[in-house]
Amino acid sequence: MTDTLELDALWEDFHRAVNMTSQELAAWLRVSDADEAAEPLPEHAGSPTGQHVLAILQKRRTDLTDDDIEVMYEVVDAVDAQADVENEPEAEETRRRHQLMTLGHDPLRS
């Protein structure tokens, strides 16, 4: 497991990167996974990573597992990597925004 100082820094970085509330993320996962015929059950909506981020948002820091910590690092790295991308065509920008929102980050809020 991660030491306390490293976990504190990760917790702050994760909550900086994930700028959507758990309610907003849950709603986005349902909408992004819905089609004309059906909407998935809330606990099955979105990607496994999106569902894991949602679960982490509902936990206390002391309840984190090693899997949670791994996902938190992945999310922080993914969001930080996207911050360097500039001047994309609008369609690509929208696609990238939707991918980031699946991780709980809305780049329009940055």
Side-chain angles (χ1 to χ4, degrees):
M1 188 116 182
T2 311
D3 70 30
T4 304
L5 289 176
E6 189 175 347
L7 184 58
D8 289 346
L10 176 61
W11 182 261
E12 288 180 28
D13 288 344
F14 178 78
H15 283 87
R16 171 193 47 79
V18 176
N19 61 5
M20 295 170 70
T21 66
S22 59
Q23 293 85 6
E24 291 169 331
L25 178 56
W28 171 252
L29 293 175
R30 284 192 308 275
V31 167
S32 68
D33 232 18
D35 60 25
E36 291 180 17
E39 182 176 318
L41 295 172
E43 62 272 8
H44 298 294
S47 69
T49 303
Q51 284 293 322
H52 202 145
V53 170
L54 184 58
I56 292 169
L57 288 174
Q58 297 168 343
K59 289 185 176 188
R60 297 176 305 176
R61 183 177 11 201
T62 56
D63 296 332
L64 296 173
T65 66
D66 288 340
D67 286 341
D68 295 337
I69 291 169
E70 184 177 324
V71 168
M72 290 170 73
Y73 276 118
E74 290 172 13
V75 168
V76 169
D77 290 345
V79 170
D80 287 348
Q82 294 305 313
D84 297 333
V85 177
E86 297 179 31
N87 301 325
E88 301 173 339
E90 191 172 324
E92 180 65 18
E93 189 174 305
T94 299
R95 185 185 66 78
R96 190 174 313 275
R97 177 179 181 230
H98 290 174
Q99 287 177 332
L100 288 170
M101 287 175 69
T102 300
L103 299 176
H105 177 79
D106 185 349
L108 296 182
R109 291 187 183 179
S110 298

